[in-house]
């Protein structure tokens, strides 16, 4: 299980720190697939039948639907992210600290504070904290959406670890909520990009007109 | 039994159903308005049915099925949301065609979103399970994003994005709080049993849960220090929608606070102190920041942040007077913001600008002047308006609980907020140069004036005759206190 969690954290790091937004979005596919695999494994080990359904939903929604929507978002814009509020090397260093030290720290204290939680607790909590860090440090709207996605996945793992026998309907309704929120975020960003492009075209035309007049 | 559940459920079923009907038929503006008003009317009837049932029951709450929990507080919230939605719909009938004609083919989606949001809010007020309450609550705020960005310009889209991201991430903390509470108590948490569970879990876990709920619901309500989405969102939304946000959507945050944080505050002194400190800073900061605003909607938004701090601090007090004052101020806040934002909406309708320097109206007493002034004086907690009574109740309750410093901050900040608003009102309505004659403006609608004046008159009526709504507020306060045990 540990290997799966490390792999999840690795792909989260790529999604968070890659300057190329397309690569960030693509790395969310293995990130989410691994989350689904961890849920499958937990269902199998703990003999919790309700988690199988959740894992299937995770594959469909988190591993395919959401990254596809993100790639659609990147269709008509630059693939390079807008400069973040902190420098890139510092951001990478902080990410490594949050992901590695954070994970190990949570894993150590978990036993004393929450002895009955499932093993995905530490990964879930680390994803949650890392997502918040990304949200605060990034300026690019696409990166902000990716941060939200990571936070949501963290919460998802936390719920599974703390309440594994939660009624399926609640879990499905929460996923639906997440899909709607992300859909709206992507819709707003696409419309915003369209307006920005139109404004740029207008500016360019105006400057061309001025240039012609001067000539 | 089933008929009782069905009739109580109409308060959320009908608005959601109406939203689908509006979406399918995509009729004209008038038909959409009529359908929406009809939906709200049925929701009103359903809420009054629940109110009647509660009045005739010994327990003072309705729980015909495990998933339903309706008490006096749910009823008050439902009535408030329905009332605000009704006047927002009526006001939009005139505002939309003039200011948002470029979105003419999407008017049906506007009404559809209002009805859906109202439906989900009423659903959240009726549910017992905290997870389901969270889901309904979040859905209502996600849908309201469409209304915020209805203008579809760069600024409104940015405001909508900011709102959606901050509120969604913030509210996830409250989801985490629910999960932790479920884990610690070992069973499903609902409004009917949260009081018992909070009393049984360890102090550290209870404190962590309470902090998570505070982050979540403070963000939802737009309270300090999680208020950053609020001024921009209020400013960029259509004026009717600003009233909807201030009077209904942010109120869900207070509903969540009253259902969770108040329960923790009854059990943990630290939580009470934390909420009062945060609220007091917010009250003062909101009032000070209001002074520097050049945008009239942002000015009222900052006053709103300050005002909402009053409610949050009152809801954290574990005495009847505090809770009563908080609930009373919740109602008054809706009326104050309705009066102010509706009249500001008319000013923007006439002048086409939100900037105070560009809004100048001829020196004449008009309906807008009256409603704006009543709203401004009510923000300052002046007599004879109803906010005077609620402010005094909160101040006395705070003093009684040994938070005299907070009571002083509250009174002082109320005065500063009122000053900022009255100064603006004098500048806008009594400026001698470059004025516009509003009396000769034919396009100025009677309906819009009526909406703003009605909210102002209600502030006056409740202030003079508070017994009129006393039973509702009393039931709501008792409902909150009952669930803390």
């Amino acid at each position: 299980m540990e290997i799966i969690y490390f792999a999840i954290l690795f792909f989260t790091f790529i999604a968070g720190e890659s300057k190329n937004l397309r690569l960030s979005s693509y790395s969310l596919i293995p990130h989410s697939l691994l989350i689904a695999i961890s849920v499958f494994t937990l269902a199998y080990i703990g003999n919790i039948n309700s988690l199988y359904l959740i894992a299937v939903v995770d594959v469909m929604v988190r591993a395919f639907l959401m990254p596809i929507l993100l790639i659609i978002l990147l269709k008509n814009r630059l693939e390079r992210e807008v400069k973040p509020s902190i420098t890139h090397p510092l951001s990478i260093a902080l990410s490594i600290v949050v992901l590695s030290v954070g994970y190990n720290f949570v894993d150590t204290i978990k036993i004393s504070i929450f002895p009955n939680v499932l093993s995905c607790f530490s990964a879930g909590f680390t994803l949650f904290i890392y997502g918040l860090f990304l949200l605060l440090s990034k300026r690019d709207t696409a990166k902000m959406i990716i941060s939200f996605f990571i936070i949501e996945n963290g919460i998802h793992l936390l719920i599974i670890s703390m309440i594994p026998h939660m009624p399926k309907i609640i879990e499905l309704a929460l996923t639906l909520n997440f899909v709607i929120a992300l859909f709206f975020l992507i819709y707003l960003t696409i419309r915003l990009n369209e307006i920005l492009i139109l404004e740029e075209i207008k500016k360019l035309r105006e400057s061309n007109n001025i240039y012609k007049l001067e000539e | 039994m089933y008929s009782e559940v069905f009739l109580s459920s109409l308060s959320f079923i009908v608005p959601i159903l109406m939203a689908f009907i509006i979406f399918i038929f995509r009729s004209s503006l008038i038909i959409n308005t009529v359908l929406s008003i009809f939906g709200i009317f049925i929701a009103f009837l359903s809420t009054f049915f629940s109110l009647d049932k509660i009045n005739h029951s010994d327990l003072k709450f309705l729980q015909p099925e495990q998933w339903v929990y309706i008490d006096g507080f749910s009823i008050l919230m439902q009535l408030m949301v329905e009332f605000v939605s009704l006047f927002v719909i009526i006001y939009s009938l005139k505002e939309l065609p003039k200011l948002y004609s470029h979105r003419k083919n999407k008017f049906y989606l506007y009404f559809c979103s209002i009805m859906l949001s109202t439906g989900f809010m009423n659903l959240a007020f009726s549910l017992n399970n905290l997870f389901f309450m969270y889901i309904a609550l979040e859905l209502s705020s996600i849908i309201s994003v469409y209304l915020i960005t209805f203008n579809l310009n760069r600024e409104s889209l940015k405001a909508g994005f900011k709102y959606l991201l901050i509120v969604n991430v913030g509210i996830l903390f409250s989801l985490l709080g629910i999960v932790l509470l479920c884990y610690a108590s070992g069973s499903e948490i609902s409004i009917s049993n949260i009081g018992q569970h909070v009393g049984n879990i360890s102090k550290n876990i209870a404190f962590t849960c309470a902090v998570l709920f505070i982050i979540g619901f403070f963000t939802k309500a737009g309270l300090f220090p999680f208020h950053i989405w609020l001024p921009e969102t209020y400013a960029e939304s259509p004026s009717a929608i600003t009233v909807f946000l201030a009077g209904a959507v942010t109120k869900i945050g207070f509903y969540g606070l009253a259902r969770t944080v108040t329960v923790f505050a009854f059990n943990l002194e630290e939580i009470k102190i934390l909420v009062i400190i945060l609220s007091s800073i917010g009250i003062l900061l909101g009032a000070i920041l209001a002074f520097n605003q050049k945008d009239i909607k942002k000015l009222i938004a900052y006053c709103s942040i300050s005002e909402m701090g009053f409610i949050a601090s009152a809801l954290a007090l574990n005495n009847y007077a505090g809770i009563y004052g908080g609930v009373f101020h919740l109602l008054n806040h809706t009326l104050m913001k309705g009066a102010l934002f509706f009249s500001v909406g008319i000013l923007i309708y006439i002048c086409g600008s939100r900037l105070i320097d560009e809004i100048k109206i001829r020196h004449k007493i008009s309906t807008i002047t009256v409603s704006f002034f009543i709203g401004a004086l009510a923000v300052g907690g002046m007599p004879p308006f109803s906010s005077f009574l609620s402010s005094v109740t909160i101040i006395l309750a705070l003093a009684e609980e040994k938070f005299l410093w907070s009571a002083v901050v509250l009174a002082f900040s109320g005065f500063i907020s009122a000053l900022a608003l009255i100064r603006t009102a004098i500048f806008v309505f009594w400026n001698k140069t470059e004025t516009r004659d509003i009396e000769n403006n034919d396009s100025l609608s009677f309906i819009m004036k009526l909406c703003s004046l009605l909210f102002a008159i209600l502030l006056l009526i409740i202030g003079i005759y508070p017994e009129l709504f006393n039973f509702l507020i009393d039931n709501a306060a008792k409902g909150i206190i009952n669930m803390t045990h």
Side-chain angles (χ1 to χ4, degrees), chain A residues 30 80 106 131:
Chain A
R80 204 174 167 80
V106 176

Side-chain angles (χ1 to χ4, degrees), chain B residues 350 360-364 434-442 444:
Chain B
I350 302 164
K360 279 152 195 167
I361 299 292
R362 198 178 142 185
H363 176 201
K364 211 170 198 178
E434 294 176 61
T435 56
R436 283 166 214 253
D437 187 352
I438 57 163
E439 296 304 318
N440 294 336
N441 197 325
D442 294 332
L444 188 53

